[in-house]
Amino acid sequence: MSPLLFLLYVLHLWSNTVNGITCLLRPGDEECFFDESNVGEEVHGTFAVTHGEAPINVKIFDSTDKIVLELPETMENAYTFKAMQSGAYTICFKSSGSELQTIEFNLHMGDDVTVKNVMKEDHLTLIDESVQSLRRGVSELSEQTKYHRNRLLRHKKTTESTGSRITWWSLLQGTILVSLALIQTWIIKNLFDKKRTV
């Protein structure tokens, strides 16, 4: 393999990686991001609300502004579909809450082995194809790890919130029970005191 072809191959691999993006979503605002895809290419992504309690609305549009996928009132999700036409695919996140929200998402478009446009098929050796396969696997594993980490953090917040509510509710119940016991004791004591005076 010539040095120029190897350099083009490495540059292509570097430019074709999965990108994780974090964006800030203000109350009632909508943020959109786009990337180019060709017919038949796979479009894959994950997203999660990492800060904020309100769910978001997510829409994905094709290059003709037709809705390809709509996910209403969700905190996190993953999606995969095949591009039905070439052009820019846009993903939009819309806030339905009243607080600032942070959204982390990954977006990956296209077949990882599009190097065929740069070099011929016989230039790719079995080792190169294995490296490509491993790279795809590592990228997908990294993406899934981030997705599950964000999901775990969301569930941890929910669990802590629920635990706090249970603690306060138990304290309130205990206070009410002790108060009722004291009131009942006072009432019974007063009844016996009145009977003695009669």
Side-chain angles (χ1 to χ4, degrees), residues 32-44:
C32 296
F33 302 88
F34 69 93
D35 201 356
E36 296 287 327
S37 184
N38 294 320
V39 174
E41 288 184 334
E42 199 171 84
V43 178
H44 175 74

Side-chain angles (χ1 to χ4, degrees), residues 33-185:
F33 302 88
F34 69 93
D35 201 356
E36 296 287 327
S37 184
N38 294 320
V39 174
E41 288 184 334
E42 199 171 84
V43 178
H44 175 74
T46 60
F47 65 88
V49 177
T50 55
H51 180 266
E53 298 298 321
I56 59 172
N57 297 311
V58 180
K59 289 182 183 176
I60 300 176
F61 301 92
D62 63 11
S63 58
T64 61
D65 282 340
K66 178 182 166 192
I67 295 176
V68 176
L69 181 66
E70 185 171 2
L71 302 166
E73 301 294 316
T74 183
M75 295 296 283
E76 58 193 32
N77 216 327
Y79 56 88
T80 302
F81 61 90
K82 291 232 183 236
M84 300 307 282
Q85 58 187 3
S86 294
Y89 279 77
T90 307
I91 181 169
C92 294
F93 302 102
K94 183 170 175 88
S95 172
S96 61
S98 60
E99 63 183 352
L100 287 174
Q101 293 176 291
T102 304
I103 299 165
E104 185 174 311
F105 69 98
N106 292 306
L107 182 60
H108 182 70
M109 296 198 176
D111 185 15
D112 282 341
V113 190
T114 53
V115 187
K116 294 177 184 177
N117 296 336
V118 178
M119 60 179 102
K120 295 181 181 170
E121 233 177 272
D122 58 345
H123 289 139
L124 293 174
T125 64
L126 189 57
I127 293 175
D128 290 335
E129 290 171 0
S130 297
V131 168
Q132 274 284 52
S133 175
L134 287 172
R135 189 182 68 75
R136 276 194 310 271
V138 167
S139 293
E140 186 174 331
L141 180 64
S142 172
E143 185 178 323
Q144 289 295 321
T145 302
K146 284 182 184 177
Y147 172 73
H148 288 291
R149 178 182 51 85
N150 288 334
R151 189 172 180 182
L152 183 65
L153 289 173
R154 163 99 15 229
H155 292 305
K156 180 183 175 189
K157 278 173 108 176
T158 303
T159 303
E160 287 171 352
S161 172
T162 304
S164 174
R165 289 180 189 160
I166 289 172
T167 301
W168 285 110
W169 179 246
S170 296
L171 286 173
L172 179 64
Q173 282 180 330
T175 304
I176 291 171
L177 286 174
V178 168
S179 300
L180 286 175
L182 290 173
I183 291 170
Q184 287 175 349
T185 305

